[in-house]
Amino acid sequence: MSQLARRLGLFDATMIVMGGIIGSGIFINPYIVARQLRSPALILGAWALGGVLALTGGFIWAELAARRPQLGGQYAYLREAYHPSVAFIYGWTLLLVTQTGGMAAVAVTFARYFLDVTHLDVADGIVAILVLAFLTIVNCLGVRAGSTAQNVLMTMKIAAIAAIVVCGIVYAGHPNRATPSEPLES
């Protein structure tokens, strides 16, 4: 049985796992959760519960990797645990439904934020398609190129989340000094 070449290090693997857990939804979902729950304690509780569930999933994958280090991911685990046909169906479902839907959502989210920042006069669908095409090309260049892109993007995401947290701490308890009908005076 041939083995996959090991091209990723600990940092690369950590960034991939974090990227899988902390998606672009982190920049969209908080206001939805806050709108539904309204109480700071409930909001933080919901995010803490989500964090516990994500951590539990991480422990499960770590245990699978420790028990079957020669295998490589969900497809291989399903193939070994159940049957190759289950893994085959999973692989095609992942390709045609799960991953494509997730990638489309991430690309559209990126496009909207990108256009808000740049004020370019381009349809968000065009930006989303270009981003997906670019990332596809990067991943076609190989595992190392894809991993480097993932590392850069995940580091930027961590920095953005850290900036949001710092701003939340710094500005907590400071009410707005103006309402939408009263502009700030200089």
Side-chain angles (χ1 to χ4, degrees):
M1 181 172 167
S2 64
Q3 289 196 341
L4 298 173
R6 298 186 186 269
R7 302 246 188 268
L8 303 178
L10 178 61
F11 181 76
D12 302 316
T14 302
M15 292 294 106
I16 289 170
V17 170
M18 287 176 66
I21 293 171
I22 305 170
S24 66
I26 194 66
F27 299 108
I28 297 173
N29 293 337
Y31 89 91
I32 296 169
V33 172
R35 187 174 51 193
Q36 295 296 320
L37 297 179
R38 307 225 183 240
S39 159
L42 287 175
I43 294 166
L44 291 175
W47 284 101
L49 178 63
V52 168
L53 290 173
L55 187 61
T56 302
F59 287 148
I60 290 168
W61 287 113
E63 184 65 26
L64 282 169
R67 288 178 180 252
R68 304 293 240 175
Q70 71 280 7
L71 296 178
Q74 297 159 310
Y75 175 89
Y77 298 141
L78 289 171
R79 183 187 67 219
E80 294 292 315
Y82 300 107
H83 190 269
S85 63
V86 173
F88 178 82
I89 292 169
Y90 166 78
W92 280 101
T93 304
L94 187 69
L95 175 67
L96 298 175
V97 179
T98 309
Q99 288 296 95
T100 52
M103 284 187 280
V106 169
V108 169
T109 299
F110 171 82
R112 290 184 179 157
Y113 282 113
F114 178 78
L115 292 173
D116 281 347
V117 170
T118 61
H119 303 290
L120 293 174
D121 188 24
V122 180
D124 56 354
I126 299 297
V127 173
I129 290 168
L130 291 173
V131 166
L132 286 174
F134 173 74
L135 291 175
T136 299
I137 291 167
V138 168
N139 281 292
C140 285
L141 295 175
V143 172
R144 191 71 255 152
S147 176
T148 300
Q150 170 69 22
N151 294 347
V152 168
L153 293 171
M154 191 60 213
T155 302
M156 290 170 57
K157 195 183 309 181
I158 291 168
I161 292 168
I164 290 169
V165 169
V166 168
C167 287
I169 292 168
V170 169
Y171 295 109
H174 297 349
N176 271 341
R177 295 186 182 165
T179 60
S181 60
E182 297 175 325
L184 286 174
E185 294 178 353
S186 354

